[in-house]
Amino acid sequence: MANVAKKVSWSGRDRDEEDEPPAAGEATPLLNGASPGAAGGPPHSRPITHSPFLRLGKLSSVDLNDDETEATNQFPSEIPHNEKLLLLKYESLDYDNCENQLFLEEERRINHTAFRTVEIKRWVICAMIGILTGLVACFIDIVVEKLAGLKFRVVKDNIDKFTEKGGLSFSLLLWAILNSSVVMVGSVIVAFIEPVAAGSGIPQIKCYLNGVKIPHVVRLKTLMIKVCGVILSVVGGLAVGKEGPMIHSGAVIAAGISQGRSTSLKRDFKIFEYFRRDTEKRDFVSAGAAAGVSAAFGAPVGGVLFSLEEGASFWNQFLTWRIFFASMISTFTLNSILSFYHGNPWDLSSPGLINFGRFDSEKLGYTFQEIPIFIVMGVVGGILGAIFNALNYWLTMFRIRYIHRPCLQVIEAMLVAAVTAAVGFVMIYCSSDCQPLQGDSVAYPLQLFCADGEYNSMATAFFNTPEKSVVSLFHNPPGSYNPMTLGMFTLMYFFLACWTYGLTVSAGVFIPSLLIGAAWGRLFGISLAYLTSGAIWADPGKYALMGAAAQLGGIVRMTLSLTVIMMEATGNVTYGFPIMLALMTAKIVGDYFVEGLYDMHIQLQSVPFLHWEAPVTSHSLTAREVMSAPVTCLRRIEKVGTVVDILSDTSSNHNGFPVVESSPDPTQVGQTTGRPAASPAPGPWAAEVAGLRGLILRSQLIVLLKHKVFVERANLTLVQRRLKLKDFRDAYPRFPPIQSIHVSQDERECMMDLTEFMNPSPYTVPQEASLPRVFKLFRALGLRHLVVVDNHNEVVGLVTRKDLARYRLGKEGLEELSLAQT
Amino acid sequence: MGLPGELQPECRELLVGFASSSVRLTGCLVRSARPVRLCQSCYRHFQSVTEQLKNITRAVGNSSESNCAKSLLMSDRVQLVVILSQFFNSTWEKANCANCLKNNSEGLSNSTIEFLNLFNTTLMCFEHNFQGQAINLGPSNHTEVCRNCSRTYSNLNALYNKMQKMTEQGSEHRTPLCIDVEDAMNITRRLWSRTFNCSVPCSDTVPVIAVSSFILFLPVIFYLSSFLHSKQKKRILILPKRIQSNASLVNIQEKYS
């Protein structure tokens, strides 16, 4: 009920602000007309000079809502960030091809063989994506190994020195300072240069593939920051992994290569121009994400399935096969380079960044009796995952609200790094679990208070990169850890990992989750053997693997791809069934409490994300209630001045404009009929008959304005070059803002003919269509604008992504999110 | 020429040679199992076994003796000679004896000899001092040993670490030292820190606790101060433009009630 009241009140106060200039900082930009699929400009109080047409539109839009009382004015227009918002800055991608005349002409000109070439080019690009992703993964792996090795050696020497002499607090300080200074660098580059590179990048890629344009997400700069950031945060000893960011890196590489140019570097290689549009780019980005997974875990099939499960909203067989190709190439590249690096060329034994090592299936088979145990482990994983997510939710909310300044974010990251070191040190210091040194089983054996020739077992878990810790938990022989050590480690690492995820550093959550799960799984295995006094001969490594799977499943809630990734990473198909069981149970149990971590973060970022289906209880809503109205329309032959004014109106920063038939009245605007009597509108609404002719995008209009494609000019200079599709592609994906385009006073009087450039066949729905139907059309075709028309093909409203995404199934039923601006 | 099933005399000779050398090696291996002296005492025997095996295999190319290698190495299911030689090889590799032998396996390497000498000195030192103390068997009161032998012990430790580092440099993967050296070091270390209780590290718990609690306290201050002083992030609500029909309100109200 409360939400309804709010909704009403917001529409009520609209007019008051229009009438009197609002107080400083209180400005609420009006959404004049429809199409909120648009970036919000700066708050804007009142248009200064406008053509009569625009004034008209503005008034009418205000009049629409003037039936509200004044009593609800006090409702604040500024609210603290919460999870029930959609941010205006997120735009949609144009996955639907704009089938205008230029496009059709070009497609007609391309003959059969040319299409073949395009197809071959696609394969070449996929191969390049795979190779480059593999190379980036190699680079990260080698640099992390070198730097982390250096750091651990320095700290170890220091600890060894001070163990004899006393003064271990200096070692602690050294460790903490080393960690936090490395993390500081990593955090500074992320916070100040490219904030979108923070986190694992999987939520962002998920959004991108869902059709949301996250600003800067696939830029070269982001890739650079991401790679350096990951290296620094892993070396800085945070509880993070380098696997998640590989997915983002792969996606950026794919988006970059497929365009054949870099806008950041201002280099255009004049290749792959055909792919310069959102539709094609999306396919390559999903290939890149798959290649990233494949490089991270050595799991090519898992990568493809990851793209399928998490990302791709649009899918077909050819694409799948190409994506698989890219994944395979990626893991092969990584494998061959690393084999050279490790000094055994052509051995090809390290397919991924993390290698879980070989689980010997003969020794570590599982029996029928163990299946219930695995299910119980799944339940534990689900519950722990839900706790993890819930804690992280509160923390993230706090961070968004209070720690939004870059310097604060850097300080926070540094503090976490220091605390991670301190906790690790104290744990190692307090632990009395000593194990005899055996050959080369431990990378950095810390002796500390153990007898000579023994090492501290806690140190293998804390004093190591998380990847190595996971592998040692899987494979160290039974008895390498005592239960106390494992218990303390799980507890501490759980909170550290939960605290770390969401910091302004680029880092993934895969490895920490695996590590937590492996630790409690091993503990589980040990206690099982203890409780049954050896009746169940439990190899703790097997239970560590199951625990890791269950924990990861409980946190990220992936099922299909995760099962396959785990299977491929362990190289053991026998474990497929138990892993699947554990993951399934973890997901079911976890979903009962809270959402998965990635979905949660998408929601907290206020991204208009479209799920697979419309909310189940939304059948009673129709397009009429969902759509935005009234719509700012353009006429087929429009005055330049009008177009410029509409485009530069910051309060209605729309991206799509329905094109209607020209009418004799030059001040005509769309949206006329079909308004119910219940909503009185005394505004000057001319009953204009304006049939829908097409849809034109802001980007197209800007290109037209830039090239000054005016009717008058065409008549004056007959030799003027015709605008080609290439001109639009060259401007893609960063179209200049309208402010940068100069239009002289004379030119404002010219006319523009949009017929050639508009999409003459936009998708439309009648007003009566139900929300699920609209949703399905929108989601399946990847639309950006969906025009709602009445019986006479007149524009009534426009449905955009945010109109659909605002309905969400909450705890108490259908909820409606509100739009907000930063 | 005997029966077809019988072994040729030269083959029998080879077999007997292999048998005797492997008997010697086996005996040596078992005798030097504890304390481990595998590499230093058995490398000659191992070499002779390898040579015998080489003789058998080398015979493959030779036409007259070709069926000798064949009949000895691969004419039955069990293939005892192969099993035995594999066992010797894997034992040798597991012990990593190559590490403390010279490159041509013609004896112990210089560093190993040096280490073993130092090891013997250390043991002697232990023995010497320990016997002097045996009369007053105070529990863990072996300060004399600790005092007198600490120099030799630390020398030995240093040498061991140096050798470890040298092997690490040689190859990318961490290869352990040969078992003799490793075991000798382990014995010494165990004696030193368990039996004599000599390595008493200075535990400075108080400063460590102080420093770590200081570090742990920092985030608390940070979060509190940012909660109190940082301006809360506000979002500006935007009005969606909708057709306000009663029907939609009713719809939503129904869902909320």
PDB file of all heavy atoms in Angstrom, chain A residues 515-529:
ATOM      1  N   LEU A 515      37.589 -21.680  -1.297  1.00  0.00           N
ATOM      2  CA  LEU A 515      38.496 -21.888  -0.167  1.00  0.00           C
ATOM      3  C   LEU A 515      37.717 -22.110   1.126  1.00  0.00           C
ATOM      4  O   LEU A 515      38.021 -23.043   1.892  1.00  0.00           O
ATOM      5  CB  LEU A 515      39.418 -20.677  -0.051  1.00  0.00           C
ATOM      6  CG  LEU A 515      40.566 -20.768   0.907  1.00  0.00           C
ATOM      7  CD1 LEU A 515      41.348 -22.038   0.672  1.00  0.00           C
ATOM      8  CD2 LEU A 515      41.482 -19.578   0.723  1.00  0.00           C
ATOM      9  N   ILE A 516      36.705 -21.289   1.343  1.00  0.00           N
ATOM     10  CA  ILE A 516      35.882 -21.471   2.540  1.00  0.00           C
ATOM     11  C   ILE A 516      35.268 -22.865   2.521  1.00  0.00           C
ATOM     12  O   ILE A 516      35.327 -23.624   3.495  1.00  0.00           O
ATOM     13  CB  ILE A 516      34.758 -20.418   2.594  1.00  0.00           C
ATOM     14  CG1 ILE A 516      35.341 -19.019   2.698  1.00  0.00           C
ATOM     15  CG2 ILE A 516      33.824 -20.682   3.748  1.00  0.00           C
ATOM     16  CD1 ILE A 516      34.327 -17.942   2.397  1.00  0.00           C
ATOM     17  N   GLY A 517      34.684 -23.188   1.346  1.00  0.00           N
ATOM     18  CA  GLY A 517      34.023 -24.481   1.234  1.00  0.00           C
ATOM     19  C   GLY A 517      34.997 -25.626   1.408  1.00  0.00           C
ATOM     20  O   GLY A 517      34.690 -26.620   2.082  1.00  0.00           O
ATOM     21  N   ALA A 518      36.173 -25.497   0.824  1.00  0.00           N
ATOM     22  CA  ALA A 518      37.151 -26.575   0.940  1.00  0.00           C
ATOM     23  C   ALA A 518      37.553 -26.761   2.394  1.00  0.00           C
ATOM     24  O   ALA A 518      37.721 -27.896   2.867  1.00  0.00           O
ATOM     25  CB  ALA A 518      38.371 -26.263   0.089  1.00  0.00           C
ATOM     26  N   ALA A 519      37.675 -25.642   3.113  1.00  0.00           N
ATOM     27  CA  ALA A 519      38.098 -25.752   4.511  1.00  0.00           C
ATOM     28  C   ALA A 519      37.033 -26.450   5.344  1.00  0.00           C
ATOM     29  O   ALA A 519      37.334 -27.416   6.056  1.00  0.00           O
ATOM     30  CB  ALA A 519      38.401 -24.367   5.077  1.00  0.00           C
ATOM     31  N   TRP A 520      35.774 -26.008   5.223  1.00  0.00           N
ATOM     32  CA  TRP A 520      34.789 -26.689   6.067  1.00  0.00           C
ATOM     33  C   TRP A 520      34.471 -28.082   5.547  1.00  0.00           C
ATOM     34  O   TRP A 520      34.111 -28.971   6.325  1.00  0.00           O
ATOM     35  CB  TRP A 520      33.558 -25.859   6.368  1.00  0.00           C
ATOM     36  CG  TRP A 520      32.611 -25.486   5.263  1.00  0.00           C
ATOM     37  CD1 TRP A 520      32.479 -24.258   4.711  1.00  0.00           C
ATOM     38  CD2 TRP A 520      31.643 -26.322   4.605  1.00  0.00           C
ATOM     39  NE1 TRP A 520      31.506 -24.280   3.740  1.00  0.00           N
ATOM     40  CE2 TRP A 520      30.973 -25.527   3.664  1.00  0.00           C
ATOM     41  CE3 TRP A 520      31.281 -27.657   4.711  1.00  0.00           C
ATOM     42  CZ2 TRP A 520      29.972 -26.001   2.830  1.00  0.00           C
ATOM     43  CZ3 TRP A 520      30.274 -28.137   3.880  1.00  0.00           C
ATOM     44  CH2 TRP A 520      29.637 -27.322   2.963  1.00  0.00           C
ATOM     45  N   GLY A 521      34.617 -28.281   4.229  1.00  0.00           N
ATOM     46  CA  GLY A 521      34.408 -29.615   3.692  1.00  0.00           C
ATOM     47  C   GLY A 521      35.427 -30.598   4.227  1.00  0.00           C
ATOM     48  O   GLY A 521      35.110 -31.735   4.595  1.00  0.00           O
ATOM     49  N   ARG A 522      36.660 -30.142   4.315  1.00  0.00           N
ATOM     50  CA  ARG A 522      37.704 -31.000   4.847  1.00  0.00           C
ATOM     51  C   ARG A 522      37.446 -31.302   6.323  1.00  0.00           C
ATOM     52  O   ARG A 522      37.603 -32.441   6.774  1.00  0.00           O
ATOM     53  CB  ARG A 522      39.058 -30.319   4.665  1.00  0.00           C
ATOM     54  CG  ARG A 522      40.181 -31.301   4.615  1.00  0.00           C
ATOM     55  CD  ARG A 522      41.523 -30.642   4.389  1.00  0.00           C
ATOM     56  NE  ARG A 522      42.551 -31.617   4.686  1.00  0.00           N
ATOM     57  CZ  ARG A 522      43.243 -32.276   3.771  1.00  0.00           C
ATOM     58  NH1 ARG A 522      43.060 -32.031   2.514  1.00  0.00           N
ATOM     59  NH2 ARG A 522      44.133 -33.165   4.121  1.00  0.00           N
ATOM     60  N   LEU A 523      37.034 -30.256   7.019  1.00  0.00           N
ATOM     61  CA  LEU A 523      36.683 -30.430   8.432  1.00  0.00           C
ATOM     62  C   LEU A 523      35.563 -31.455   8.573  1.00  0.00           C
ATOM     63  O   LEU A 523      35.603 -32.346   9.434  1.00  0.00           O
ATOM     64  CB  LEU A 523      36.238 -29.077   8.987  1.00  0.00           C
ATOM     65  CG  LEU A 523      35.905 -28.998  10.468  1.00  0.00           C
ATOM     66  CD1 LEU A 523      37.142 -29.308  11.273  1.00  0.00           C
ATOM     67  CD2 LEU A 523      35.391 -27.626  10.812  1.00  0.00           C
ATOM     68  N   PHE A 524      34.580 -31.322   7.691  1.00  0.00           N
ATOM     69  CA  PHE A 524      33.448 -32.241   7.652  1.00  0.00           C
ATOM     70  C   PHE A 524      33.939 -33.676   7.463  1.00  0.00           C
ATOM     71  O   PHE A 524      33.526 -34.587   8.177  1.00  0.00           O
ATOM     72  CB  PHE A 524      32.549 -31.819   6.501  1.00  0.00           C
ATOM     73  CG  PHE A 524      31.171 -32.387   6.533  1.00  0.00           C
ATOM     74  CD1 PHE A 524      30.157 -31.712   7.195  1.00  0.00           C
ATOM     75  CD2 PHE A 524      30.876 -33.574   5.883  1.00  0.00           C
ATOM     76  CE1 PHE A 524      28.884 -32.218   7.216  1.00  0.00           C
ATOM     77  CE2 PHE A 524      29.601 -34.087   5.900  1.00  0.00           C
ATOM     78  CZ  PHE A 524      28.599 -33.406   6.570  1.00  0.00           C
ATOM     79  N   GLY A 525      34.826 -33.846   6.500  1.00  0.00           N
ATOM     80  CA  GLY A 525      35.358 -35.177   6.214  1.00  0.00           C
ATOM     81  C   GLY A 525      36.101 -35.755   7.400  1.00  0.00           C
ATOM     82  O   GLY A 525      35.920 -36.932   7.757  1.00  0.00           O
ATOM     83  N   ILE A 526      36.903 -34.914   8.035  1.00  0.00           N
ATOM     84  CA  ILE A 526      37.682 -35.392   9.176  1.00  0.00           C
ATOM     85  C   ILE A 526      36.754 -35.804  10.313  1.00  0.00           C
ATOM     86  O   ILE A 526      36.887 -36.875  10.908  1.00  0.00           O
ATOM     87  CB  ILE A 526      38.666 -34.306   9.664  1.00  0.00           C
ATOM     88  CG1 ILE A 526      39.733 -34.051   8.602  1.00  0.00           C
ATOM     89  CG2 ILE A 526      39.323 -34.708  10.960  1.00  0.00           C
ATOM     90  CD1 ILE A 526      40.628 -32.893   8.907  1.00  0.00           C
ATOM     91  N   SER A 527      35.757 -34.922  10.574  1.00  0.00           N
ATOM     92  CA  SER A 527      34.883 -35.251  11.703  1.00  0.00           C
ATOM     93  C   SER A 527      34.012 -36.456  11.394  1.00  0.00           C
ATOM     94  O   SER A 527      33.655 -37.213  12.297  1.00  0.00           O
ATOM     95  CB  SER A 527      34.025 -34.038  12.099  1.00  0.00           C
ATOM     96  OG  SER A 527      33.608 -33.360  10.970  1.00  0.00           O
ATOM     97  N   LEU A 528      33.711 -36.646  10.114  1.00  0.00           N
ATOM     98  CA  LEU A 528      32.929 -37.822   9.732  1.00  0.00           C
ATOM     99  C   LEU A 528      33.704 -39.092  10.053  1.00  0.00           C
ATOM    100  O   LEU A 528      33.170 -40.035  10.658  1.00  0.00           O
ATOM    101  CB  LEU A 528      32.641 -37.754   8.237  1.00  0.00           C
ATOM    102  CG  LEU A 528      31.405 -38.466   7.755  1.00  0.00           C
ATOM    103  CD1 LEU A 528      30.179 -37.764   8.297  1.00  0.00           C
ATOM    104  CD2 LEU A 528      31.381 -38.468   6.237  1.00  0.00           C
ATOM    105  N   ALA A 529      34.959 -39.082   9.672  1.00  0.00           N
ATOM    106  CA  ALA A 529      35.791 -40.245   9.949  1.00  0.00           C
ATOM    107  C   ALA A 529      35.933 -40.445  11.448  1.00  0.00           C
ATOM    108  O   ALA A 529      35.968 -41.565  11.956  1.00  0.00           O
ATOM    109  CB  ALA A 529      37.159 -40.058   9.311  1.00  0.00           C
TER     110      ALA A 529
END
